[in-house]
Amino acid sequence: MRVIGLAGWSGAGKTSLLTKLIPEFSRRGVRVSTIKHAHHAFDLDTPGKDSWAHRQAGASEVLISSAQRWALLHELRGEAEATLPELLARLSPVDLVIVEGFKRDPHAKLEVYRAANAKPPLHPDDPSIVAIASDTAFLQAGRPVIGLEDIPTIADCLFANAQPLDAVLSQAKGRL
């Protein structure tokens, strides 16, 4: 498994880019999983449904299964938020894991930048950013800058710069 991240401020278009990249990788025969970091509470099941009732009653984990998919909901109930390495360890093996968020972690990342967002770029202060997908030229970036709509080139860049899972886990251990 190899790991690469997408980093950028909210509203930069990370999710939009990711939804274009996944089909591109699929066409190339690359199996992709994603990890999305959320900065807020979120819910995957509907209030009033059985799985929701199980969680509300205090279950630590609820596994929901059907003929089409399964999902495991784990309630932290005051425990610390899971780290990226802990989440990576829970994934089934694939060719490429794309991490959206976790922008402060040291894994290799592509910065997604939109000028209209009016936020400062991340790459000047983050050596783990290997390239930038942007609607703006960064002449002094010191790394490749790719147009936001150039999906094949972005996919090439992500795959070429993705790190082996072991390397990402080793970097994380080095930070502890």
Side-chain angles (χ1 to χ4, degrees):
M1 259 178 19
R2 296 165 54 85
V3 180
I4 190 77
L6 298 183
W9 298 106
S10 178
K14 297 180 300 294
T15 300
S16 296
L17 179 60
L18 191 52
T19 60
K20 294 174 184 174
L21 286 165
I22 293 170
E24 175 68 21
F25 282 120
S26 293
R27 278 190 289 282
R28 297 176 182 203
V30 176
R31 292 179 318 132
V32 175
S33 287
T34 64
I35 293 179
K36 164 73 173 128
H37 185 259
H39 292 284
H40 47 78
F42 64 92
D43 219 335
L44 297 177
D45 56 347
T46 307
K49 293 292 188 178
D50 292 348
S51 58
W52 179 87
H54 297 179
R55 285 190 312 111
Q56 294 304 309
S60 296
E61 291 187 330
V62 177
L63 195 142
I64 307 163
S65 180
S66 75
Q68 285 77 38
R69 70 188 58 87
W70 66 269
L72 177 63
L73 301 174
H74 179 92
E75 289 294 316
L76 294 175
R77 306 226 186 266
E79 295 173 26
E81 180 178 357
T83 64
L84 180 57
E86 290 168 338
L87 297 172
L88 286 166
R90 292 184 173 272
L91 289 178
S92 297
V94 293
D95 301 312
L96 182 66
V97 177
I98 302 175
V99 177
E100 181 182 339
F102 291 94
K103 69 181 169 210
R104 306 252 186 265
D105 281 53
H107 60 283
K109 296 180 278 293
L110 171 92
E111 179 176 1
V112 180
Y113 182 87
R114 275 189 204 281
N117 216 10
K119 297 276 190 178
L122 300 173
H123 65 270
D125 299 318
D126 188 345
S128 67
I129 292 176
V130 297
I132 305 158
S134 179
D135 59 359
T136 301
F138 286 100
L139 301 177
Q140 306 297 319
R143 58 206 86 181
V145 179
I146 307 164
L148 277 169
E149 299 305 318
D150 190 351
I151 302 305
T153 303
I154 294 171
D156 290 342
C157 179
L158 288 176
F159 200 75
N161 287 285
Q163 299 173 285
L165 177 60
D166 291 346
V168 174
L169 296 177
S170 291
Q171 285 174 328
K173 283 182 186 171
R175 291 180 63 209
L176 298 177

mmCIF file of all heavy atoms in Angstrom, residues 118-156:
data_model
loop_
_atom_site.group_PDB
_atom_site.id
_atom_site.type_symbol
_atom_site.label_atom_id
_atom_site.label_comp_id
_atom_site.label_asym_id
_atom_site.label_seq_id
_atom_site.Cartn_x
_atom_site.Cartn_y
_atom_site.Cartn_z
ATOM 1 N N ALA A 118 -8.745 32.998 -0.927
ATOM 2 C CA ALA A 118 -8.102 34.099 -0.188
ATOM 3 C C ALA A 118 -7.409 33.634 1.094
ATOM 4 O O ALA A 118 -7.388 34.338 2.098
ATOM 5 C CB ALA A 118 -9.113 35.205 0.106
ATOM 6 N N LYS A 119 -6.844 32.456 1.064
ATOM 7 C CA LYS A 119 -6.071 31.926 2.190
ATOM 8 C C LYS A 119 -4.615 31.832 1.759
ATOM 9 O O LYS A 119 -4.311 31.679 0.578
ATOM 10 C CB LYS A 119 -6.569 30.530 2.572
ATOM 11 C CG LYS A 119 -7.995 30.488 3.064
ATOM 12 C CD LYS A 119 -8.052 30.804 4.513
ATOM 13 C CE LYS A 119 -9.448 30.513 5.045
ATOM 14 N NZ LYS A 119 -9.534 30.756 6.450
ATOM 15 N N PRO A 120 -3.688 31.880 2.691
ATOM 16 C CA PRO A 120 -2.273 31.759 2.314
ATOM 17 C C PRO A 120 -1.955 30.333 1.871
ATOM 18 O O PRO A 120 -2.543 29.373 2.371
ATOM 19 C CB PRO A 120 -1.532 32.111 3.607
ATOM 20 C CG PRO A 120 -2.503 31.782 4.695
ATOM 21 C CD PRO A 120 -3.878 32.059 4.133
ATOM 22 N N PRO A 121 -1.023 30.176 0.942
ATOM 23 C CA PRO A 121 -0.625 28.824 0.543
ATOM 24 C C PRO A 121 0.075 28.107 1.693
ATOM 25 O O PRO A 121 0.691 28.735 2.557
ATOM 26 C CB PRO A 121 0.320 29.055 -0.634
ATOM 27 C CG PRO A 121 0.795 30.458 -0.486
ATOM 28 C CD PRO A 121 -0.290 31.215 0.221
ATOM 29 N N LEU A 122 -0.022 26.795 1.695
ATOM 30 C CA LEU A 122 0.592 25.979 2.744
ATOM 31 C C LEU A 122 2.036 25.609 2.424
ATOM 32 O O LEU A 122 2.853 25.433 3.331
ATOM 33 C CB LEU A 122 -0.209 24.684 2.940
ATOM 34 C CG LEU A 122 -1.675 24.822 3.342
ATOM 35 C CD1 LEU A 122 -2.357 23.453 3.312
ATOM 36 C CD2 LEU A 122 -1.795 25.448 4.713
ATOM 37 N N HIS A 123 2.366 25.470 1.136
ATOM 38 C CA HIS A 123 3.655 24.894 0.749
ATOM 39 C C HIS A 123 4.894 25.656 1.225
ATOM 40 O O HIS A 123 5.908 25.011 1.479
ATOM 41 C CB HIS A 123 3.724 24.669 -0.775
ATOM 42 C CG HIS A 123 3.687 25.915 -1.579
ATOM 43 N ND1 HIS A 123 2.506 26.470 -2.019
ATOM 44 C CD2 HIS A 123 4.678 26.712 -2.020
ATOM 45 C CE1 HIS A 123 2.780 27.561 -2.706
ATOM 46 N NE2 HIS A 123 4.087 27.728 -2.722
ATOM 47 N N PRO A 124 4.866 26.971 1.407
ATOM 48 C CA PRO A 124 6.106 27.606 1.863
ATOM 49 C C PRO A 124 6.582 27.114 3.237
ATOM 50 O O PRO A 124 7.773 27.142 3.530
ATOM 51 C CB PRO A 124 5.748 29.093 1.907
ATOM 52 C CG PRO A 124 4.656 29.244 0.906
ATOM 53 C CD PRO A 124 3.853 27.976 1.050
ATOM 54 N N ASP A 125 5.639 26.666 4.064
ATOM 55 C CA ASP A 125 5.987 26.236 5.422
ATOM 56 C C ASP A 125 5.885 24.730 5.629
ATOM 57 O O ASP A 125 5.999 24.257 6.757
ATOM 58 C CB ASP A 125 5.072 26.938 6.436
ATOM 59 C CG ASP A 125 5.224 28.445 6.388
ATOM 60 O OD1 ASP A 125 6.376 28.911 6.280
ATOM 61 O OD2 ASP A 125 4.197 29.143 6.447
ATOM 62 N N ASP A 126 5.652 23.968 4.562
ATOM 63 C CA ASP A 126 5.452 22.532 4.715
ATOM 64 C C ASP A 126 6.296 21.762 3.706
ATOM 65 O O ASP A 126 5.916 21.627 2.544
ATOM 66 C CB ASP A 126 3.976 22.177 4.543
ATOM 67 C CG ASP A 126 3.673 20.732 4.886
ATOM 68 O OD1 ASP A 126 4.615 19.913 4.991
ATOM 69 O OD2 ASP A 126 2.478 20.408 5.032
ATOM 70 N N PRO A 127 7.448 21.224 4.140
ATOM 71 C CA PRO A 127 8.313 20.492 3.221
ATOM 72 C C PRO A 127 7.728 19.163 2.750
ATOM 73 O O PRO A 127 8.223 18.576 1.791
ATOM 74 C CB PRO A 127 9.594 20.263 4.038
ATOM 75 C CG PRO A 127 9.165 20.359 5.454
ATOM 76 C CD PRO A 127 7.997 21.314 5.485
ATOM 77 N N SER A 128 6.649 18.679 3.378
ATOM 78 C CA SER A 128 6.050 17.421 2.936
ATOM 79 C C SER A 128 5.134 17.608 1.726
ATOM 80 O O SER A 128 4.677 16.627 1.149
ATOM 81 C CB SER A 128 5.291 16.752 4.085
ATOM 82 O OG SER A 128 4.157 17.508 4.450
ATOM 83 N N ILE A 129 4.879 18.856 1.345
ATOM 84 C CA ILE A 129 4.089 19.111 0.140
ATOM 85 C C ILE A 129 5.007 18.933 -1.064
ATOM 86 O O ILE A 129 5.977 19.667 -1.230
ATOM 87 C CB ILE A 129 3.439 20.514 0.173
ATOM 88 C CG1 ILE A 129 2.378 20.545 1.278
ATOM 89 C CG2 ILE A 129 2.828 20.856 -1.187
ATOM 90 C CD1 ILE A 129 1.716 21.875 1.502
ATOM 91 N N VAL A 130 4.684 17.928 -1.891
ATOM 92 C CA VAL A 130 5.544 17.550 -3.014
ATOM 93 C C VAL A 130 5.157 18.249 -4.316
ATOM 94 O O VAL A 130 5.958 18.306 -5.250
ATOM 95 C CB VAL A 130 5.560 16.021 -3.217
ATOM 96 C CG1 VAL A 130 6.155 15.334 -1.987
ATOM 97 C CG2 VAL A 130 4.163 15.491 -3.515
ATOM 98 N N ALA A 131 3.921 18.765 -4.378
ATOM 99 C CA ALA A 131 3.440 19.451 -5.582
ATOM 100 C C ALA A 131 2.198 20.255 -5.208
ATOM 101 O O ALA A 131 1.647 20.102 -4.108
ATOM 102 C CB ALA A 131 3.115 18.452 -6.689
ATOM 103 N N ILE A 132 1.775 21.096 -6.151
ATOM 104 C CA ILE A 132 0.619 21.967 -5.923
ATOM 105 C C ILE A 132 -0.319 21.842 -7.111
ATOM 106 O O ILE A 132 0.126 21.917 -8.266
ATOM 107 C CB ILE A 132 1.060 23.437 -5.775
ATOM 108 C CG1 ILE A 132 2.104 23.559 -4.666
ATOM 109 C CG2 ILE A 132 -0.136 24.351 -5.518
ATOM 110 C CD1 ILE A 132 2.972 24.791 -4.772
ATOM 111 N N ALA A 133 -1.604 21.655 -6.838
ATOM 112 C CA ALA A 133 -2.642 21.722 -7.872
ATOM 113 C C ALA A 133 -3.349 23.047 -7.639
ATOM 114 O O ALA A 133 -3.898 23.280 -6.562
ATOM 115 C CB ALA A 133 -3.608 20.556 -7.758
ATOM 116 N N SER A 134 -3.303 23.930 -8.636
ATOM 117 C CA SER A 134 -3.766 25.297 -8.391
ATOM 118 C C SER A 134 -4.319 25.951 -9.645
ATOM 119 O O SER A 134 -4.011 25.549 -10.770
ATOM 120 C CB SER A 134 -2.582 26.125 -7.865
ATOM 121 O OG SER A 134 -2.971 27.457 -7.639
ATOM 122 N N ASP A 135 -5.100 26.997 -9.428
ATOM 123 C CA ASP A 135 -5.559 27.861 -10.517
ATOM 124 C C ASP A 135 -4.673 29.104 -10.615
ATOM 125 O O ASP A 135 -4.976 30.031 -11.338
ATOM 126 C CB ASP A 135 -7.025 28.256 -10.315
ATOM 127 C CG ASP A 135 -7.292 28.983 -9.006
ATOM 128 O OD1 ASP A 135 -6.341 29.182 -8.202
ATOM 129 O OD2 ASP A 135 -8.457 29.349 -8.760
ATOM 130 N N THR A 136 -3.566 29.088 -9.881
ATOM 131 C CA THR A 136 -2.622 30.200 -9.827
ATOM 132 C C THR A 136 -1.207 29.673 -10.035
ATOM 133 O O THR A 136 -0.873 28.602 -9.535
ATOM 134 C CB THR A 136 -2.687 30.876 -8.431
ATOM 135 O OG1 THR A 136 -4.009 31.344 -8.212
ATOM 136 C CG2 THR A 136 -1.715 32.012 -8.303
ATOM 137 N N ALA A 137 -0.398 30.442 -10.737
ATOM 138 C CA ALA A 137 1.012 30.068 -10.900
ATOM 139 C C ALA A 137 1.782 30.440 -9.634
ATOM 140 O O ALA A 137 1.569 31.507 -9.065
ATOM 141 C CB ALA A 137 1.610 30.784 -12.100
ATOM 142 N N PHE A 138 2.640 29.557 -9.189
ATOM 143 C CA PHE A 138 3.547 29.831 -8.080
ATOM 144 C C PHE A 138 4.955 29.692 -8.639
ATOM 145 O O PHE A 138 5.521 28.601 -8.645
ATOM 146 C CB PHE A 138 3.327 28.849 -6.920
ATOM 147 C CG PHE A 138 2.082 29.092 -6.127
ATOM 148 C CD1 PHE A 138 0.940 28.336 -6.340
ATOM 149 C CD2 PHE A 138 2.048 30.081 -5.151
ATOM 150 C CE1 PHE A 138 -0.205 28.559 -5.603
ATOM 151 C CE2 PHE A 138 0.907 30.314 -4.408
ATOM 152 C CZ PHE A 138 -0.231 29.546 -4.636
ATOM 153 N N LEU A 139 5.512 30.789 -9.120
ATOM 154 C CA LEU A 139 6.797 30.742 -9.804
ATOM 155 C C LEU A 139 7.945 30.376 -8.885
ATOM 156 O O LEU A 139 8.948 29.819 -9.322
ATOM 157 C CB LEU A 139 7.063 32.080 -10.498
ATOM 158 C CG LEU A 139 6.008 32.485 -11.534
ATOM 159 C CD1 LEU A 139 6.332 33.862 -12.103
ATOM 160 C CD2 LEU A 139 5.896 31.448 -12.623
ATOM 161 N N GLN A 140 7.834 30.664 -7.610
ATOM 162 C CA GLN A 140 8.900 30.375 -6.649
ATOM 163 C C GLN A 140 8.562 29.181 -5.749
ATOM 164 O O GLN A 140 9.117 29.058 -4.663
ATOM 165 C CB GLN A 140 9.148 31.614 -5.775
ATOM 166 C CG GLN A 140 9.424 32.887 -6.538
ATOM 167 C CD GLN A 140 10.707 32.791 -7.359
ATOM 168 O OE1 GLN A 140 11.702 32.249 -6.895
ATOM 169 N NE2 GLN A 140 10.675 33.297 -8.579
ATOM 170 N N ALA A 141 7.684 28.297 -6.192
ATOM 171 C CA ALA A 141 7.209 27.205 -5.335
ATOM 172 C C ALA A 141 8.282 26.169 -5.025
ATOM 173 O O ALA A 141 8.245 25.538 -3.974
ATOM 174 C CB ALA A 141 6.012 26.514 -5.974
ATOM 175 N N GLY A 142 9.218 25.973 -5.923
ATOM 176 C CA GLY A 142 10.249 24.976 -5.693
ATOM 177 C C GLY A 142 9.755 23.545 -5.813
ATOM 178 O O GLY A 142 10.414 22.614 -5.363
ATOM 179 N N ARG A 143 8.604 23.358 -6.389
ATOM 180 C CA ARG A 143 8.012 22.043 -6.631
ATOM 181 C C ARG A 143 7.016 22.176 -7.772
ATOM 182 O O ARG A 143 6.624 23.291 -8.108
ATOM 183 C CB ARG A 143 7.368 21.481 -5.377
ATOM 184 C CG ARG A 143 6.297 22.377 -4.810
ATOM 185 C CD ARG A 143 6.124 22.180 -3.334
ATOM 186 N NE ARG A 143 7.085 23.018 -2.650
ATOM 187 C CZ ARG A 143 7.239 23.096 -1.351
ATOM 188 N NH1 ARG A 143 6.506 22.392 -0.560
ATOM 189 N NH2 ARG A 143 8.136 23.871 -0.812
ATOM 190 N N PRO A 144 6.599 21.095 -8.396
ATOM 191 C CA PRO A 144 5.684 21.200 -9.540
ATOM 192 C C PRO A 144 4.363 21.886 -9.175
ATOM 193 O O PRO A 144 3.820 21.670 -8.090
ATOM 194 C CB PRO A 144 5.439 19.750 -9.943
ATOM 195 C CG PRO A 144 6.564 18.974 -9.344
ATOM 196 C CD PRO A 144 6.981 19.718 -8.114
ATOM 197 N N VAL A 145 3.880 22.700 -10.099
ATOM 198 C CA VAL A 145 2.561 23.320 -9.980
ATOM 199 C C VAL A 145 1.757 22.839 -11.188
ATOM 200 O O VAL A 145 2.177 23.014 -12.330
ATOM 201 C CB VAL A 145 2.641 24.862 -9.957
ATOM 202 C CG1 VAL A 145 1.240 25.465 -9.847
ATOM 203 C CG2 VAL A 145 3.525 25.338 -8.804
ATOM 204 N N ILE A 146 0.606 22.218 -10.919
ATOM 205 C CA ILE A 146 -0.219 21.602 -11.949
ATOM 206 C C ILE A 146 -1.586 22.282 -11.942
ATOM 207 O O ILE A 146 -2.128 22.577 -10.874
ATOM 208 C CB ILE A 146 -0.396 20.093 -11.664
ATOM 209 C CG1 ILE A 146 0.972 19.418 -11.469
ATOM 210 C CG2 ILE A 146 -1.186 19.409 -12.767
ATOM 211 C CD1 ILE A 146 0.897 18.058 -10.811
ATOM 212 N N GLY A 147 -2.147 22.498 -13.104
ATOM 213 C CA GLY A 147 -3.487 23.078 -13.196
ATOM 214 C C GLY A 147 -4.518 22.170 -12.547
ATOM 215 O O GLY A 147 -4.450 20.937 -12.677
ATOM 216 N N LEU A 148 -5.471 22.770 -11.865
ATOM 217 C CA LEU A 148 -6.486 22.005 -11.127
ATOM 218 C C LEU A 148 -7.298 21.049 -11.998
ATOM 219 O O LEU A 148 -7.816 20.054 -11.499
ATOM 220 C CB LEU A 148 -7.448 22.963 -10.416
ATOM 221 C CG LEU A 148 -6.981 23.503 -9.082
ATOM 222 C CD1 LEU A 148 -7.890 24.630 -8.608
ATOM 223 C CD2 LEU A 148 -6.921 22.406 -8.042
ATOM 224 N N GLU A 149 -7.423 21.360 -13.276
ATOM 225 C CA GLU A 149 -8.238 20.525 -14.161
ATOM 226 C C GLU A 149 -7.422 19.468 -14.899
ATOM 227 O O GLU A 149 -7.982 18.669 -15.650
ATOM 228 C CB GLU A 149 -9.008 21.400 -15.154
ATOM 229 C CG GLU A 149 -9.965 22.383 -14.488
ATOM 230 C CD GLU A 149 -10.967 21.728 -13.539
ATOM 231 O OE1 GLU A 149 -11.507 20.654 -13.885
ATOM 232 O OE2 GLU A 149 -11.196 22.281 -12.446
ATOM 233 N N ASP A 150 -6.118 19.438 -14.704
ATOM 234 C CA ASP A 150 -5.255 18.476 -15.391
ATOM 235 C C ASP A 150 -5.196 17.172 -14.590
ATOM 236 O O ASP A 150 -4.185 16.824 -13.981
ATOM 237 C CB ASP A 150 -3.860 19.075 -15.589
ATOM 238 C CG ASP A 150 -2.984 18.243 -16.494
ATOM 239 O OD1 ASP A 150 -3.381 17.106 -16.848
ATOM 240 O OD2 ASP A 150 -1.884 18.722 -16.838
ATOM 241 N N ILE A 151 -6.293 16.450 -14.609
ATOM 242 C CA ILE A 151 -6.451 15.252 -13.777
ATOM 243 C C ILE A 151 -5.411 14.170 -14.101
ATOM 244 O O ILE A 151 -4.821 13.602 -13.173
ATOM 245 C CB ILE A 151 -7.897 14.703 -13.893
ATOM 246 C CG1 ILE A 151 -8.909 15.781 -13.462
ATOM 247 C CG2 ILE A 151 -8.060 13.425 -13.079
ATOM 248 C CD1 ILE A 151 -8.681 16.366 -12.081
ATOM 249 N N PRO A 152 -5.125 13.864 -15.386
ATOM 250 C CA PRO A 152 -4.111 12.835 -15.648
ATOM 251 C C PRO A 152 -2.734 13.189 -15.073
ATOM 252 O O PRO A 152 -2.058 12.322 -14.496
ATOM 253 C CB PRO A 152 -4.065 12.739 -17.173
ATOM 254 C CG PRO A 152 -5.411 13.212 -17.614
ATOM 255 C CD PRO A 152 -5.793 14.284 -16.628
ATOM 256 N N THR A 153 -2.320 14.444 -15.185
ATOM 257 C CA THR A 153 -1.016 14.846 -14.659
ATOM 258 C C THR A 153 -1.009 14.832 -13.131
ATOM 259 O O THR A 153 -0.024 14.411 -12.507
ATOM 260 C CB THR A 153 -0.610 16.231 -15.196
ATOM 261 O OG1 THR A 153 -0.606 16.173 -16.628
ATOM 262 C CG2 THR A 153 0.760 16.647 -14.703
ATOM 263 N N ILE A 154 -2.100 15.263 -12.525
ATOM 264 C CA ILE A 154 -2.193 15.211 -11.053
ATOM 265 C C ILE A 154 -2.128 13.758 -10.589
ATOM 266 O O ILE A 154 -1.422 13.431 -9.640
ATOM 267 C CB ILE A 154 -3.475 15.907 -10.550
ATOM 268 C CG1 ILE A 154 -3.419 17.408 -10.846
ATOM 269 C CG2 ILE A 154 -3.666 15.662 -9.047
ATOM 270 C CD1 ILE A 154 -4.721 18.151 -10.585
ATOM 271 N N ALA A 155 -2.838 12.863 -11.279
ATOM 272 C CA ALA A 155 -2.818 11.446 -10.915
ATOM 273 C C ALA A 155 -1.400 10.884 -11.043
ATOM 274 O O ALA A 155 -0.936 10.157 -10.154
ATOM 275 C CB ALA A 155 -3.798 10.653 -11.779
ATOM 276 N N ASP A 156 -0.713 11.221 -12.131
ATOM 277 C CA ASP A 156 0.681 10.779 -12.300
ATOM 278 C C ASP A 156 1.539 11.251 -11.130
ATOM 279 O O ASP A 156 2.332 10.488 -10.577
ATOM 280 C CB ASP A 156 1.279 11.337 -13.598
ATOM 281 C CG ASP A 156 0.696 10.717 -14.853
ATOM 282 O OD1 ASP A 156 0.076 9.637 -14.773
ATOM 283 O OD2 ASP A 156 0.870 11.338 -15.927
#
